Structure formats: structure tokens, C-alpha cells
Amino acid sequence: MSLLDGLLGGVIGGQMTTVVNSFIQQHGGIQGMVAQFEKQGLGPTVQSWVGNGPNQSSSSLPRPA
């Protein structure tokens, strides 16, 4: 990997972090997002992601039509 590749990767990674953080904040933070998942009947799945036990697969989530 060249120096340029490393620099670009860092910039893109930094931008993605900003996008993800903004998305989370727009949806009420982690607690707000968890609440939205729970309202949709996905409480056990999302709780597995934020809890200490094994994570349920996202393949168990319903797919949009």
C-alpha cells in the first residue's frame, strides 16, 4: 500500500465515521435507535447487539419488499 492509499483510507474512514455518527444522532442516539427497532418488533435482535451475549444475525431481520 502506498502512502497515498493510506492517507485516502484515513480520510474516507474519517468521513464515514462522521456520516455514521450524524445518522445515529439524527435518530435519537443509540437509545433512540434501539427504541425504533423495538417499535418494529425487533427488540430481541437489537438487544442481542447491545447486550453481553451472542449477537443475533441481521439475516433474521425482515427484508423490504
Side-chain angles (χ1 to χ4, degrees):
M1 175 171 17
S2 72
L3 177 60
L4 181 59
D5 290 337
L7 291 173
L8 287 175
V11 169
I12 292 170
Q15 289 174 344
M16 186 54 71
T17 299
T18 300
V19 168
V20 170
N21 284 336
S22 176
F23 179 83
I24 291 170
Q25 292 310 313
Q26 289 173 0
H27 290 87
I30 296 296
Q31 291 178 347
M33 290 184 70
V34 168
Q36 289 179 29
F37 276 110
E38 288 175 338
K39 285 181 192 176
Q40 298 298 318
L42 303 171
T45 301
V46 75
Q47 287 298 329
S48 77
W49 299 343
V50 297
N52 291 329
N55 293 332
Q56 289 186 12
S57 170
S58 61
S59 65
S60 63
L61 297 175
R63 300 287 180 223

